[in-house]
Amino acid sequence: MEDLWCVAAGVFQVWVFVVVFLIMLPAMFGLSLGVTGVYIQILVRILEWATLRIQRGRQEQPRIIERAGGSMQEEMGPLRSSCSLSGREFALSDAFYFCKKGLESIADDQVTQRFSSEELASWNLLTRTNQNFRYISLRLTVIWGFGVFVRYCVLFPLRITLAIIGLSWLVIGTVLVGFLPESSVKNWLSELVHLTCYRICARGLSATIQYHNRENKPQKGGICVANHTSPIDIVILANDGCYAMVGQIHGGLMGVIQRSMVKACPHVWFERSEMKDRHAVTSRLRAHVAAKTKLPILIFPEGTCINNTSVMMFKKGSFEIGGTIYPVTIKYDPRFGDAFWNSSKYNMVSYLLRMMTSWAIVVNVWYLPPMTRQDGEDAAQFANRVKSAIADQGGLLDLAWDGGLKRGKVKDWYKEEQQKMYSSIIVGQNGFNSAAPCSAGPEQQ
């Protein structure tokens, strides 16, 4: 029995040494011992080998449908060109365009697929697949089983330990700093506590983060906007600088963290009733931006998590505040873990468990040049310009659809826009000239 206790004590000492001296202390000073980099390189080689094993005897499935990339006017042009129309006539061939679009949406919907996990080119030895790839060969099965042991019996306990330490220090540290009077020393200590704790939490996810163009990092008094994939987007960005968070006040553990953080840093938390008052939200954010000594505000204008394959419509409220916008692109590597939070399928606890049992979180962050609103540009146009810059940098699809479709229906104004666009074609504003005569429908009155 004494030998068993000695072994347990020895394992505990090794565990504490690894957590404190090999992970926490380097993380606190922003250093890396290179272990994660070697780990990622090994993973890449294993996944490449597994991909080759899986692809043997399997043929790539062809796409079901290929979408046309033109506008309504461009796509309807060939259909109407076979008829000689005066510009104010309805052609029966117009119905084919709408039938085609409807079938495309059924076969390959561009919107709802953004709210599910990103499709992978090949299996990444995780269990997120509908096919039993692990049974293709004995060696692949052995490696998959060994990976399960490593992820659940080694990495998961280690990550849980680091997450608990990081969150505990965040709550305790911000509460203690909150007792200090307002001064530059308090602001410095607050930023130090936040930065240190977020770095520890990032190590708890085995996060490997590459920051690009650091000369464009958000500055105080500005607004940082980024595409949104996961709640850990905040941890990823806060590893390289401090931000003032904006969001709704929650209860439970999240509420405890929020109340402690706001004691040390001017985060902007809203009650549920205030979130519905657009003017109240805008005025509080504008007051924060006006104080050039306060941390930059971090906002995710999409308003919901998207699966990191595209960027959807930015809410214009963030761009009505004024000030300088600092765009940031976040792009995760799906080979090592699915960072997307499907809140309709997983609650926060289930999602974090999936993250902590994945291989790693590998992500690239690009700081884009600051942008300001141009003369004659309204908030919606400014938002679209920023969104396009973020999508182009990360190689993401730039979609005009509202992320609110994740839980709601298409808004009436979008249907009306499509109707107006078709009406403009019929009445001749964007009509088509054709040479060959043919019969057409009756004229519009």
Side-chain angles (χ1 to χ4, degrees):
M1 191 65 179
E2 292 181 359
D3 293 339
L4 183 61
W5 281 109
C6 290
V7 172
V11 171
F12 179 74
Q13 290 177 357
V14 172
W15 187 266
V16 171
F17 176 81
V18 171
V19 170
V20 175
F21 294 99
L22 298 184
I23 300 178
M24 284 182 53
L25 288 179
M28 292 170 63
F29 293 99
L31 302 175
S32 175
L33 300 180
V35 177
T36 304
V38 174
Y39 168 67
I40 294 298
Q41 291 179 3
I42 295 174
L43 276 179
V44 169
R45 294 187 178 183
I46 293 176
L47 294 179
E48 289 176 349
W49 173 84
T51 300
L52 293 176
R53 296 290 300 181
I54 292 170
Q55 289 179 345
R56 290 181 181 176
R58 298 181 69 243
Q59 296 181 353
E60 183 179 356
Q61 296 294 327
R63 285 182 57 86
I64 297 176
I65 192 167
E66 290 291 342
R67 289 180 176 270
S71 63
M72 180 185 294
Q73 292 89 339
E74 294 172 347
E75 294 187 48
M76 291 185 68
L79 296 175
R80 297 174 64 89
S81 62
S82 59
C83 301
S84 177
L85 301 176
S86 63
R88 295 177 177 270
E89 298 177 352
F90 165 78
L92 185 60
S93 60
D94 293 349
F96 295 133
Y97 167 79
F98 296 103
C99 291
K100 174 175 175 288
K101 286 297 181 183
L103 292 174
E104 285 180 353
S105 297
I106 294 173
D108 186 19
D109 183 11
Q110 283 189 328
V111 178
T112 56
Q113 64 177 301
R114 309 303 167 189
F115 307 133
S116 59
S117 297
E118 178 180 358
E119 292 292 335
L120 299 178
S122 184
W123 187 40
N124 59 355
L125 299 180
L126 296 173
T127 54
R128 185 174 62 83
T129 177
N130 294 325
Q131 303 186 44
N132 294 324
F133 287 136
R134 57 186 177 275
Y135 300 124
I136 287 180
S137 70
L138 178 60
R139 282 184 290 178
L140 190 62
T141 303
V142 171
I143 290 180
W144 174 80
F146 179 71
V148 170
F149 171 79
V150 171
R151 289 187 291 112
Y152 283 88
C153 299
V154 179
L155 295 179
F156 180 62
L158 183 62
R159 291 168 176 174
I160 284 288
T161 303
L162 292 171
I164 292 175
I165 293 174
L167 292 177
S168 300
W169 281 23
L170 180 63
V171 173
I172 297 172
T174 50
V175 169
L176 293 178
V177 172
F179 287 114
L180 299 176
E182 293 296 332
S183 63
S184 58
V185 174
K186 178 181 179 179
N187 294 335
W188 178 77
L189 288 175
S190 174
E191 293 181 18
L192 180 63
V193 169
H194 280 83
L195 196 60
T196 300
C197 295
Y198 281 126
R199 284 174 174 173
I200 294 175
C201 290
R203 296 298 173 92
L205 296 170
S206 299
T208 299
I209 313 171
Q210 294 290 333
Y211 296 98
H212 308 272
N213 306 325
R214 275 196 165 104
E215 65 275 10
N216 297 324
K217 283 179 59 176
Q219 303 298 317
K220 292 184 177 180
I223 303 173
C224 175
V225 298
N227 58 304
H228 197 24
T229 303
S230 161
I232 66 174
D233 291 341
I234 297 174
V235 177
I236 298 301
L237 293 178
N239 263 259
D240 198 39
C242 293
Y243 298 89
M245 311 298 176
V246 178
Q248 179 179 314
I249 297 177
H250 294 81
L253 176 60
M254 183 64 70
V256 172
I257 297 174
Q258 287 180 314
R259 287 190 294 271
S260 62
M261 290 172 61
V262 79
K263 294 180 183 294
C265 181
H267 299 290
V268 185
W269 306 129
F270 296 95
E271 296 288 349
R272 181 181 294 272
S273 58
E274 291 182 296
M275 291 297 291
K276 298 180 180 179
D277 189 347
R278 182 176 173 182
H279 296 288
V281 173
T282 302
S283 61
R284 285 190 61 182
L285 295 179
R286 187 174 287 120
H288 182 102
V289 172
K292 299 301 181 182
T293 58
K294 291 186 177 180
L295 295 174
I297 295 177
L298 176 58
I299 299 178
F300 300 104
E302 288 170 298
T304 189
C305 293
I306 311 299
N307 69 357
N308 211 223
T309 62
S310 61
V311 183
M312 303 190 77
M313 186 182 76
F314 278 7
K315 304 294 191 297
K316 66 178 182 179
S318 306
F319 302 86
E320 295 175 334
I321 302 171
T324 303
I325 298 293
Y326 294 88
V328 175
T329 300
I330 305 174
K331 177 61 178 175
Y332 294 90
D333 191 332
R335 292 178 299 171
F336 305 100
D338 181 21
F340 168 62
W341 181 33
N342 187 351
S343 56
S344 301
K345 187 176 181 180
Y346 302 103
N347 58 32
M348 179 62 75
V349 176
S350 299
Y351 169 76
L352 291 178
L353 290 177
R354 284 167 57 87
M355 288 295 93
M356 291 185 177
T357 54
S358 64
W359 291 117
I361 300 297
V362 179
V363 56
N364 283 276
V365 176
W366 288 274
Y367 297 112
L368 278 64
M371 304 173 69
T372 55
R373 194 164 162 179
Q374 298 176 349
D375 295 336
E377 187 178 44
D378 60 27
Q381 293 171 335
F382 185 28
N384 287 331
R385 183 160 60 90
V386 174
K387 176 170 69 75
S388 297
I390 291 175
D392 291 342
Q393 179 62 73
L396 306 172
L397 291 178
D398 184 2
L399 300 179
W401 292 96
D402 185 0
L405 292 172
K406 187 175 185 178
R407 296 181 178 86
K409 297 181 179 180
V410 177
K411 295 182 179 180
D412 292 336
W413 68 263
Y414 186 82
K415 300 177 184 178
E416 293 172 358
E417 285 295 323
Q418 300 298 309
Q419 294 169 353
K420 291 178 181 178
M421 192 179 301
Y422 177 59
S423 298
S424 68
I425 296 175
I426 293 180
V427 300
Q429 295 177 11
N430 293 291
F432 303 95
N433 297 322
S434 27
C438 74
S439 59
E443 292 187 0
Q444 280 193 330
Q445 301 298 324

